[in-house]
Amino acid sequence: MHDIRAIRDNPAAFDAALSRRGIENASSPLLALDAERRAAILAAETAQADQKKAAKEVGAAKAKGDDAEFERLRALVAEKKAEIGEMQTRAKALDEKLTYELSVIPNLPYDDVPDGADEDDNVEIRKWGVPPVLDFDAKEHFELTGVAASMDFELAAKISGARFVMLKGAVARIHRALAQFMIDTHVDENGLTEINSPVLVRDEAMYGTDKLPKFGEDSYQTTNGWWLVPTSEVPLTYTVAGDIVEESTLPIRMASHTLCFRSEAGSAGKDTSGMLRQHQFEKVEMVSITHPSQSDEEQQRMLGCAQGILEKLDIPYRTVELCTGDTGFGARRTYDIEAWLPGQNTYREISSVSTTGDFQARRMNARFRPADGGKPEFLHTLNGSGLAVGRCLIAVLENGQHADGSVTLPAALGPYLGGKLTLGTDGKLS
């Protein structure tokens, strides 16, 4: 959410920042609506003052026995009351309209975010590991002999339709092991607090984390109004909604492993093979709530946490900074981590780590009280995948594949798999 006062004070800076996202002259209609809203509020307040003055004069006229003046003033008071009601209704409608218009405008990119139109203009900032050199044609995860029988898309379609998968046996266990490994690493080594959060949330939580009103079609809503979370960023971030936390408690660092749900609106025909893009998936999410002065450093720390998971699993990856045209709606800066997938012979996104500045905090009215006792200020919120479990499963299977379709699994998963690190062609662990 944007601060209309900041736009009013410096519309040129607001327009310049949004123009980097391809949005031109955004301030003019907002300021015109704001001026109309303020004029309506002023008119209502002036009418209220006139009503109060007339009400006092009514008593004076009655005391003097001036019946004509008494009736005139009493009629004026009644007239002003009706007028005030109309004015207040109009002012409220204009205020709601301005709030809505502000809520559908994306966040302003930081000055250091690279300019660009789309993902082709993203900037690689790091590359780790060496993609395996295979002496056979690499297969995609769902084609591997040891995987195929345990990754059942037809059975899932029978139950739920397209873009669902039923994992069975050893593959289901590897998937579970990956999630457990991620959570343990983030808690034991990275200092995050594990949260077991709801996956059904109210409108307010979706709005506060910038998923509504603009992206409602991307999520699922139940018949009684709850939303299925697109990521646990929503419940974790919303934990501070409406609060004033003490500065001494910052930063607040959380991690949660949950099911996630996305309609994948507008992605028809994209990544339809395998389990790369599903309606239901699991993710370990990281969320940090920070002091504004800490948020840039915190984003780098979170990025390191996510990269560290892939390094422990020995998965080659590259990290890119998203350009202005590819940065998400609520983010001021985003880094994507892309894991190497031999079956596709390319890097594919497995994590996004974003800082929103105070964009979400304003929507949620989430603030902190400075240690020096000053006026409460808006918090900064950050979120990042640590990691997408299904996509990590894909990366583990494809990078560990052999010509016969068996898979060697990362040593880091040994404690979670009873020391069994080979997925055989029979689909069993050994």
Side-chain angles (χ1 to χ4, degrees):
M1 177 69 77
H2 296 286
D3 182 359
I4 188 61
R5 291 170 297 181
I7 300 172
R8 201 185 300 147
D9 292 343
N10 197 343
F14 181 75
D15 286 342
L18 282 180
S19 70
R20 299 178 63 208
R21 282 185 174 263
I23 301 172
E24 301 297 335
N25 195 31
S27 68
S28 292
L30 293 173
L31 293 176
L33 183 56
D34 177 49
E36 188 179 2
R37 175 187 66 97
R38 288 193 292 158
I41 293 171
L42 178 60
E45 291 173 345
T46 301
Q48 278 184 314
D50 291 342
Q51 183 194 34
K52 289 180 181 178
K53 180 181 178 182
K56 290 179 181 180
E57 293 175 349
V58 165
K62 186 174 181 63
K64 291 179 181 179
D66 188 341
D67 293 343
E69 181 65 5
F70 172 75
E71 292 299 333
R72 185 188 73 81
L73 289 169
R74 189 168 68 169
L76 178 61
V77 169
E79 178 185 330
K80 286 294 181 182
K81 183 178 180 180
E83 184 181 335
I84 290 167
E86 293 175 359
M87 289 180 174
Q88 288 177 333
T89 298
R90 174 169 171 72
K92 182 181 178 181
L94 289 169
D95 186 68
E96 290 174 349
K97 184 178 181 181
L98 178 61
T99 298
Y100 174 81
E101 294 299 333
L102 288 169
S103 73
V104 296
I105 295 175
N107 207 345
L108 306 182
Y110 280 126
D111 291 341
D112 59 4
V113 173
D115 289 322
D118 53 37
E119 61 184 16
D120 292 334
D121 296 319
N122 295 338
V123 178
E124 183 180 296
I125 61 171
R126 176 179 169 82
K127 186 174 281 187
W128 184 92
V130 179
V133 178
L134 305 177
D135 57 3
F136 56 91
D137 291 336
K139 293 182 179 179
E140 293 197 61
H141 56 288
F142 55 90
E143 298 173 323
L144 294 169
T145 306
V147 174
S150 300
M151 190 174 285
D152 199 328
F153 298 97
E154 290 186 7
L155 183 57
K158 170 185 172 181
I159 300 167
S160 303
R163 297 208 176 189
F164 291 90
V165 64
M166 185 81 78
L167 300 181
K168 298 183 286 187
V171 173
R173 185 177 180 182
I174 298 167
H175 185 269
R176 173 165 52 87
L178 282 166
Q180 188 67 57
F181 161 70
M182 292 174 195
I183 279 288
D184 285 352
T185 301
H186 289 314
V187 172
D188 296 339
E189 299 183 21
N190 298 332
L192 281 67
T193 298
E194 182 177 2
I195 306 291
N196 190 326
S197 67
V199 296
L200 290 169
V201 298
R202 300 184 301 173
D203 286 355
E204 296 91 334
M206 290 286 281
Y207 177 86
T209 52
D210 63 63
K211 308 302 179 282
L212 291 178
K214 195 171 179 63
F215 300 106
E217 68 172 7
D218 294 330
S219 297
Y220 292 107
Q221 189 175 26
T222 66
T223 55
N224 59 354
W226 281 320
W227 293 87
L228 293 167
V229 296
T231 161
S232 56
E233 169 202 346
V234 175
L236 295 186
T237 306
Y238 202 70
T239 56
V240 294
D243 293 345
I244 300 177
V245 303
E246 298 300 324
E247 182 179 346
S248 61
T249 66
L250 302 175
I252 300 169
R253 294 166 174 161
M254 298 171 278
S256 186
H257 166 223
T258 64
L259 287 167
C260 304
F261 306 88
R262 293 183 186 173
S263 69
E264 296 293 347
S267 63
K270 185 177 182 182
D271 297 328
T272 55
S273 299
M275 58 178 293
L276 194 66
R277 191 181 295 273
Q278 301 279 286
H279 291 309
Q280 173 187 308
F281 56 97
E282 294 180 35
K283 187 146 71 95
V284 172
E285 185 76 3
M286 304 178 291
V287 164
S288 288
I289 313 294
T290 74
H291 187 286
S293 65
Q294 298 171 328
S295 62
D296 284 351
E297 180 180 350
E298 185 68 9
Q299 187 180 21
Q300 294 299 319
R301 189 198 66 80
M302 292 174 72
L303 182 63
C305 290
Q307 292 173 154
I309 296 292
L310 288 173
E311 291 174 15
K312 286 176 178 293
L313 294 171
D314 200 27
I315 302 298
Y317 69 85
R318 70 174 197 145
T319 302
V320 298
E321 183 172 5
L322 302 195
C323 69
T324 52
D326 199 32
T327 300
F329 177 84
R332 297 206 68 179
R333 183 195 301 113
T334 295
Y335 298 103
D336 272 6
I337 305 171
E338 300 174 349
W340 176 255
L341 300 186
Q344 294 189 12
N345 194 39
T346 191
Y347 291 95
R348 296 301 299 264
E349 179 199 337
I350 199 168
S351 172
S352 286
V353 179
S354 299
T355 177
T356 75
D358 63 5
F359 190 75
Q360 293 179 332
R362 287 183 179 278
R363 298 169 82 103
M364 300 186 299
N365 193 28
R367 295 172 292 168
F368 71 95
R369 194 186 317 278
D372 61 9
K375 183 180 178 182
E377 301 174 29
F378 285 109
L379 294 157
H380 278 200
T381 62
L382 303 94
N383 61 83
S385 308
L387 305 161
V389 183
R391 292 195 173 195
C392 197
L393 174 66
I394 294 172
V396 163
L397 295 174
E398 292 195 10
N399 280 278
Q401 67 178 290
H402 299 287
D404 64 355
S406 63
V407 177
T408 297
L409 301 168
L413 296 183
Y416 303 92
L417 297 173
K420 300 175 180 180
L421 293 177
T422 299
L423 177 64
T425 56
D426 59 358
K428 296 181 179 180
L429 290 169
S430 62

